[in-house]
Amino acid sequence: MVIEVKYLFCSYFCAMQILDGKIVSQAVKDAIKIKTAALKNAGKKTPHLAAILIGNNGASETYVASKVKSCEEVGFKSSLIRLPDNLDEVALVTAIEQLNSDSDVDGILVQLPLPKHISEATIINLIHPDKDVDGFHPMSVGKMVQGLPTFIPATPYGILLMLQHYNIETKGKHAVVIGRSNIVGRPMSILLSRNAYPGNCTVTICHSHTKNLKELCLQADIIVAALGIPGFLKADMVKENAVVIDVGITRVPDDSKKSGFAIKGDVDFINVAPNCSYITPVPGGVGLMTIAALLMNTYNACEQKNIGPN
Ligand code: NAD
């Protein structure tokens, strides 16, 4: 409620604009839905996403459920493979190999994090690059770095779609990315520096060992906060009219919620928003775009199959 009032206040009195993940992700999904219906009408194969969920992690359950629901919304087929927490690596390898060889499956995602006894790198490497809709396989990453067509990791891809939707200028801007994970920070830094739109930024990538973070953030025209520390980016770290993208999703205890927790981003939204030109809210920002981008990747994976020799 407080945030909603703040949105209203800002929309009347500030130049700041909310980057609305709900609106943009819906636009992306609507376009995918139309294209999927056209495939169906033409008697072609429609996209099929297979998700593997291991154990009962509450957040992972929620993410996978919304991915499956979004597949239904746009007319994709989806399969959810649930495996127990204590499974051995061989069982997971077998499940992935089956999906790799199933010609009906276009995209495979293994919801992270994995149980500690299973190597993420081994599992990611096993997914066939043609079905790697999360874009984490070394082949996909290598192609992305070289600017070749490939699957782009869903969160940075969703952010690019958001910047594009709002026609935000990125050329020549200084972008600071906070966080260097393989799924968000590092690919984001590469994509923002590429010779394309959105891109052509001068990028600084910051991490837990960066000494002068505040100083660097104050030089940034665009800040992508992806570190997982709620409210980390404060108003005194952000220059006037910066574009602020909040990737963070952390569950914090909140007795006023039925669930017992609230979702918080990495940005101190209430105090940072009034000085920005654009900012994403949490929830309602990047999270929704991540799912939309995953659907785009899955659609493209299927389209590759549909573009066969006549
Ligand atoms: P991660 O834990 O893998 O990486 C965190 C990064 O932040 C690390 O590179 C670390 O060096 C850096 N970091 C930590 N403390 C720092 C500090 N004090 N100063 C500067 N850098 C610091 O996390 P991740 O998987 O990249 O996720 C980051 C956040 O984004 C989490 O809240 C996660 O839940 C969220 N997330 C959201 C989406 C989405 O769709 N919105 C998708 C993926 C992740």
Side-chain angles (χ1 to χ4, degrees), residues 78-133:
S78 65
S79 306
L80 174 56
I81 295 116
R82 302 188 72 111
L83 297 169
D85 232 340
N86 60 353
L87 90 166
D88 62 12
E89 202 168 292
V90 178
L92 183 53
V93 168
T94 307
I96 293 172
E97 282 171 348
Q98 276 169 4
L99 295 174
N100 276 342
S101 56
D102 183 341
S103 61
D104 191 57
V105 171
D106 302 294
I108 302 170
L109 82 83
V110 180
Q111 186 63 42
L112 302 178
L114 297 177
K116 295 239 172 329
H117 63 282
I118 296 180
S119 153
E120 259 179 36
T122 305
I123 296 307
I124 287 168
N125 267 292
L126 266 180
I127 297 172
H128 194 289
D130 291 349
K131 301 189 181 194
D132 175 39
V133 289

Side-chain angles (χ1 to χ4, degrees), residues 14-298:
C14 317
M16 181 277 287
Q17 188 175 350
I18 296 286
L19 300 174
D20 192 328
K22 214 168 170 183
I23 292 175
V24 187
S25 66
Q26 195 56 55
V28 173
K29 287 197 279 188
D30 288 347
I32 295 173
K33 192 173 178 176
I34 291 169
K35 291 199 292 182
T36 304
L39 286 179
K40 201 169 187 169
N41 289 339
K44 291 186 175 169
K45 180 181 172 355
T46 52
H48 179 181
L49 176 70
I52 297 183
L53 175 62
I54 299 157
N56 302 300
N57 175 301
S60 295
E61 295 254 2
T62 311
Y63 297 146
V64 170
S66 36
K67 288 169 187 174
V68 167
K69 184 167 164 267
S70 300
C71 281
E72 280 165 21
E73 262 179 64
V74 297
F76 289 4
K77 187 172 165 187
S78 65
S79 306
L80 174 56
I81 295 116
R82 302 188 72 111
L83 297 169
D85 232 340
N86 60 353
L87 90 166
D88 62 12
E89 202 168 292
V90 178
L92 183 53
V93 168
T94 307
I96 293 172
E97 282 171 348
Q98 276 169 4
L99 295 174
N100 276 342
S101 56
D102 183 341
S103 61
D104 191 57
V105 171
D106 302 294
I108 302 170
L109 82 83
V110 180
Q111 186 63 42
L112 302 178
L114 297 177
K116 295 239 172 329
H117 63 282
I118 296 180
S119 153
E120 259 179 36
T122 305
I123 296 307
I124 287 168
N125 267 292
L126 266 180
I127 297 172
H128 194 289
D130 291 349
K131 301 189 181 194
D132 175 39
V133 289
D134 259 339
F136 299 157
H137 191 285
M139 184 91 92
S140 309
V141 177
K143 285 185 175 176
M144 178 189 67
V145 170
Q146 293 192 349
L148 299 170
T150 189
F151 299 114
I152 296 173
T155 302
Y157 187 14
I159 293 170
L160 295 185
L161 292 171
M162 183 96 116
L163 293 169
Q164 210 166 18
H165 180 93
Y166 286 93
N167 211 12
I168 293 173
E169 181 60 273
T170 56
K171 188 166 63 179
K173 304 290 181 188
H174 181 200
V176 167
V177 178
I178 314 173
R180 58 178 165 188
S181 73
N182 286 339
I183 64 169
V184 188
R186 192 165 307 277
M188 189 78 258
S189 69
I190 290 162
L191 292 161
L192 285 174
S193 71
R194 72 191 175 150
N195 186 6
Y197 176 77
N200 279 316
C201 292
T202 303
V203 180
T204 303
I205 182 159
C206 299
H207 46 75
S208 48
H209 293 275
T210 300
K211 290 219 167 86
N212 52 342
L213 187 80
K214 180 174 173 183
E215 196 185 303
L216 292 165
C217 285
L218 280 168
Q219 293 168 24
D221 304 302
I222 300 169
I223 300 178
V224 179
L227 66 161
I229 302 179
F232 177 89
L233 191 78
K234 305 281 184 225
D236 67 355
M237 298 165 78
V238 181
K239 82 172 179 188
E240 193 89 6
N241 289 324
V243 176
V244 174
I245 309 289
D246 189 351
V247 181
I249 298 183
T250 306
R251 288 180 170 198
V252 297
D254 185 339
D255 291 339
S256 70
K257 305 271 181 203
K258 218 170 129 191
S259 59
F261 63 83
I263 301 292
K264 295 281 178 212
D266 288 344
V267 177
D268 176 12
F269 181 91
I270 297 285
N271 296 305
V272 170
N275 290 327
C276 298
S277 53
Y278 298 92
I279 187 167
T280 61
V282 176
V286 173
L288 296 170
M289 292 309 301
T290 297
I291 297 184
L294 173 73
L295 296 175
M296 284 281 272
N297 278 343
T298 307

